[in-house]
Amino acid sequence: MLPGFVLFYVGAVLFLNGLWLLGRIQDREIVVINVVAGMVSGAVVLHDAFGAGANSASIRNAALTLLFATTYLWVAYNRVTGVDGRGLGWFSLFVAITTVPVFLREVTQAGSAMGLWLAANWAVWGVLWFMYFLLLALGRPIQRQTGWVTLFTGILTGWLPGFLLLDGLV
C-alpha cells in the first residue's frame, strides 16, 4: 500500500509543478504541495530504512525514494528563499545519472509486466530530472517543454498508478 500512497502524491506534485512551470501557479503557492509530497516521501523513507522490517531491499528503496523527497523539499526551499535553482539543477543531474543503473537493473530483473513498467518509469523520471538539470543548472530555454513533460509524467507515472494501487486495482 505504501507504493500507491507515495505514487499518488508524486503524481500530485509533478502535475502541479508542471502547471507551475507553465505559469499557471505562482512561485510561493507551489510550496505547499512540494512540502506535503516531500514529507510523505520522507515518511516512507524513514519506514523503509529504519522500520522494524528494514532489510537490504527496503533500504535500497528508501535511498531511491529519498531522491524524490529531496527534490520536492528543495523546490519548496527555492520558492521560499527566491534562489535561482542552480543547486537543484546540479542535484538533478546527479539523480538523472543515478536513474540509468536503476533502469538497467529493473529491466534485467523484471519478471513481469509490472517490473517492466517500473523500469520504464525510471527511464521517464531520468529524462525529467535531466530536463531539470538543463533548465536550472545550464539555463536552457526549455521551461515550457519541461512543464508539459512534468505534468504528463505526474499523471502517467504517479497519480494514475498510485490511484490504481490504492484502490487495489493493480
Side-chain angles (χ1 to χ4, degrees):
M1 193 57 74
L2 282 179
F5 181 57
V6 171
L7 285 174
F8 188 76
Y9 280 93
V10 165
V13 74
L14 290 177
F15 178 79
L16 292 169
N17 280 344
L19 290 174
W20 165 63
L21 287 167
L22 293 168
R24 306 291 176 132
I25 297 174
Q26 294 179 357
D27 278 358
R28 294 183 70 95
E29 191 174 14
I30 201 64
V31 170
V32 173
I33 190 62
N34 279 280
V35 169
V36 169
M39 290 174 62
V40 165
S41 300
V44 171
V45 166
L46 293 174
H47 173 272
D48 284 357
F50 304 108
N55 58 35
S56 60
S58 70
I59 293 169
R60 178 181 177 274
N61 184 60
L64 296 174
T65 303
L66 189 55
L67 297 171
F68 291 86
T70 302
T71 300
Y72 306 139
L73 293 173
W74 206 326
V75 169
Y77 171 81
N78 286 355
R79 299 300 34 100
V80 168
T81 62
V83 297
D84 64 10
R86 282 182 290 174
L88 176 56
W90 285 102
F91 175 74
S92 296
L93 177 62
F94 167 81
V95 178
I97 292 168
T98 301
T99 66
V100 174
V102 175
F103 163 76
L104 293 172
R105 180 175 191 228
E106 295 297 334
V107 165
T108 60
Q109 294 183 354
S112 66
M114 186 64 100
L116 289 174
W117 170 82
L118 183 60
N121 281 355
W122 278 105
V124 170
W125 294 328
V127 168
L128 184 59
W129 263 305
F130 188 71
M131 290 179 80
Y132 295 146
F133 163 69
L134 294 174
L135 177 68
L136 298 170
L138 300 185
R140 298 288 196 267
I142 60 168
Q143 183 167 332
R144 184 166 178 75
Q145 296 90 330
T146 305
W148 282 110
V149 172
T150 301
L151 190 145
F152 286 118
T153 298
I155 294 169
L156 298 174
T157 71
W159 174 77
L160 184 59
F163 184 81
L164 294 173
L165 284 166
L166 287 173
D167 266 8
L169 299 172
V170 291

